[in-house]
Amino acid sequence: MTSRTIIILVIMLIYLAVMLLVGLKGRKYSETNQDFMTAAKRGTMLMVVGSYLGSHLGNGVVVGGAQYGALYGIGGLWYGAGAALSFTLFGVVMSKAIYRKGYLTLPDVLADCYGDKITTVLIAILHFCTMTAICAGQIMAGRLLFEYIGLPGELGAALTFLIVIGYSAMSGLWGVMMTDVLQSSVIFVVTILGVIWITIQGGFSFMAENLPASSFELVPFDAETLIMMFGPSALFGLTSATAFQRTVASKTEKTAYWAPIVASVLVVAYAALPVLMGMYGKALWPDASESTVFFQLLMEKMPPVMAGLMVASICAAVMSTCDGGLIAGAANIVNDIYLKVVNPAAENDQKKLSRMTTLATVAMGIFALLVSLQFTNLIPLLSIAYSLINAGALVMVVGAVFWKKSTKEGAIASFIVGVGLTLLNQFKVITIPYASVTPLIPALIIFILVSFITQPKAAE
């Protein structure tokens, strides 16, 4: 093991130790199951903005953006653009309604607006699966790092899983949000320094000489690829469980509204930077795998302290983003299915609910680990997850909040059409153009038609 690698690993261990201390502090804000899931409603503007950033930075906009930068060139920034738009959409369209009603999960919205159990269970299960896929994408980072180092990728995924499960059970949402703030700050600074370092090395002229001309086109691919990269992540903002969590955790309505918008501006300013790093890595090693070239650049070329901080902050991003997803998925099982459908009387038994939350978190983590071993590229996995939740939940949730004539029958019909078409396309039973967003159109049409047909009769 080289001295460079030792320096990077030492920095990683110190950094992760600091994150664990943050998690330990978070325990005092997780005394009840409700506080565990809402950070005891202590979210300041800094915490909530940082937490929004943490939900996309790290293994999403950073590692995923660098992968797509190596694959497509500057066009790889479209995923980051979609992530930024998702924050703005949620802030402008949903945040105030969610804050005022105190909705913790998507099924909370449906239970309040439609008052039935079927829509609640359908969305709870779908959202649990979506969060599992998103967590799998985070665990994938540990696998890719180990594969680059030359160790078994399965071992890296397993270790990432164990760390994430332990941290999630310990810290609750407060620890996740504070971890997001710290790792987002470090990633921002180190990535900016990394691009400055590339500039000093003459990296831009080197890229111009060694990359194809298409690498410098803003849209170097077909329209369907553009929609796949940009559309699902943008629309996911309207139904994001982590956004619901951050909103409910906010101290004030002003924080709940402005935090995602501020985060959106910061992501727009940042999104191109990891893409440039991926492009530079591909210019240095044309035959390298796009999935690991970013780690190769960090581990072999960048100054070791800078590389160590970047790798450590990405690991922390994986930890906090995955933990947020696990908490959201556990809420679907405990809050939405068990409390709302199976045993509403258990609401006052906080110890039992806490035990169930822990078990649900572990089970979800195991599923995520298994899924992470089936994929090699991050953004396609995230796009599938976002497409499914958008197809099933977007129309019925937004309709429930803003259209008084919507009905549970219309919501169920919308769910069946949206999810059904998405799955049929995914398993290649049928072929749908622009499949990442197209199912939303028939889902919306059937939602409106069935809602009109099933309007309750006026009392005589």
Side-chain angles (χ1 to χ4, degrees):
M1 186 177 294
T2 65
S3 59
R4 175 188 182 85
T5 304
I6 292 173
I7 292 173
I8 292 173
L9 292 176
V10 168
I11 292 173
M12 287 179 60
L13 289 174
I14 294 173
Y15 192 98
L16 292 176
V18 172
M19 295 300 101
L20 289 174
L21 290 175
V22 171
L24 286 171
K25 185 175 181 180
R27 295 183 68 178
K28 73 176 184 178
Y29 302 107
S30 305
E31 294 179 353
T32 68
N33 193 61
Q34 186 71 11
D35 287 347
F36 180 88
M37 294 183 180
T38 64
K41 298 187 177 181
R42 293 174 176 268
T44 63
M45 180 65 76
L46 176 63
M47 286 178 65
V48 182
V49 169
S51 194
Y52 272 106
L53 291 175
S55 68
H56 271 299
L57 296 186
N59 202 27
V61 173
V62 178
V63 178
Q67 283 183 7
Y68 267 32
L71 183 61
Y72 292 121
I74 198 65
L77 62 77
W78 282 105
Y79 175 80
L85 180 58
S86 73
F87 294 152
T88 298
L89 284 175
F90 182 84
V92 173
V93 177
M94 299 292 286
S95 61
K96 288 186 178 180
I98 300 306
Y99 184 84
R100 291 168 184 173
K101 292 288 189 177
Y103 296 136
L104 179 62
T105 63
L106 298 181
D108 280 346
V109 179
L110 303 178
D112 187 29
C113 296
Y114 298 132
D116 76 307
K117 296 179 179 181
I118 296 176
T119 55
T120 297
V121 173
L122 287 175
I123 291 301
I125 293 172
L126 179 64
H127 197 266
F128 178 85
C129 294
T130 301
M131 289 294 103
T132 300
I134 291 173
C135 291
Q138 304 305 314
I139 293 174
M140 191 188 300
R143 196 189 91 205
L144 293 176
L145 179 59
F146 267 59
E147 287 177 355
Y148 167 72
I149 294 173
L151 297 173
E154 293 80 3
L155 176 61
L159 287 176
T160 304
F161 157 75
L162 291 173
I163 293 171
V164 163
I165 290 296
Y167 190 80
S168 176
M170 173 179 63
S171 66
L173 187 60
W174 189 92
V176 170
M177 293 176 73
M178 286 305 300
T179 304
D180 283 337
V181 171
L182 292 173
Q183 56 92 357
S184 297
S185 301
V186 173
I187 285 178
F188 254 87
V189 173
V190 176
T191 309
I192 292 170
L193 292 176
V195 173
I196 293 173
W197 174 81
I198 289 173
T199 304
I200 294 172
Q201 304 299 310
F204 287 94
S205 59
F206 184 78
M207 284 188 278
E209 294 170 359
N210 292 276
L211 292 176
S214 61
S215 295
F216 302 94
E217 296 175 8
L218 190 58
V219 186
F221 30 65
D222 59 33
E224 187 149 4
T225 301
L226 173 63
I227 294 297
M228 184 274 291
M229 291 177 65
F230 178 78
S233 61
L235 292 174
F236 178 64
L238 295 172
T239 56
S240 168
T242 54
F244 276 53
Q245 287 177 331
R246 275 61 176 175
T247 300
V248 175
S250 299
K251 280 186 174 182
T252 66
E253 183 177 312
K254 182 179 179 180
T255 296
Y257 178 81
W258 283 106
I261 297 174
V262 172
S264 177
V265 173
L266 292 174
V267 172
V268 167
Y270 177 84
L273 301 183
V275 172
L276 291 171
M277 296 179 75
M279 292 171 64
Y280 184 55
K282 193 63 176 177
L284 288 171
W285 300 285
D287 297 326
S289 168
E290 288 84 6
S291 62
T292 58
V293 71
F294 179 63
F295 291 118
Q296 189 169 353
L297 176 65
L298 294 178
M299 301 294 286
E300 295 185 18
K301 288 292 185 180
M302 288 182 67
V305 173
M306 191 185 302
L309 286 172
M310 177 63 86
V311 174
S313 58
I314 289 171
C315 290
V318 168
M319 186 167 65
S320 60
T321 304
C322 198
D323 286 342
L326 290 174
I327 291 171
N332 291 140
I333 300 299
V334 177
N335 183 67
D336 299 325
I337 295 178
Y338 182 72
L339 275 181
K340 287 187 175 68
V341 178
V342 178
N343 186 14
E347 184 175 2
N348 296 323
D349 191 346
Q350 291 294 315
K351 289 185 177 180
K352 181 177 182 179
L353 294 178
S354 294
R355 288 195 301 270
M356 291 188 64
T357 298
T358 299
L359 291 174
T361 300
V362 173
M364 183 177 174
I366 293 172
F367 292 147
L369 172 63
L370 296 175
V371 173
S372 73
L373 300 176
Q374 309 304 315
F375 288 81
T376 56
N377 290 320
L378 171 66
I379 293 179
L381 172 60
L382 295 181
S383 293
I384 292 171
Y386 295 157
S387 296
L388 268 174
I389 191 66
N390 289 339
L394 182 61
V395 171
M396 69 156 71
V397 170
V398 176
V401 174
F402 295 106
W403 190 36
K404 293 182 179 180
K405 291 185 178 295
S406 62
T407 66
K408 64 181 181 182
E409 292 84 2
I412 294 169
S414 170
F415 177 95
I416 293 171
V417 170
V419 172
L421 288 174
T422 302
L423 290 176
L424 287 173
N425 180 82
Q426 184 64 35
F427 290 108
K428 304 188 184 305
V429 177
I430 60 175
T431 300
I432 302 175
Y434 306 102
S436 57
V437 295
T438 298
L440 287 170
I441 298 173
L444 175 60
I445 293 171
I446 201 70
F447 175 72
I448 294 172
L449 289 176
V450 174
S451 290
F452 274 126
I453 292 169
T454 57
Q455 288 295 303
K457 294 180 180 180
E460 295 182 3

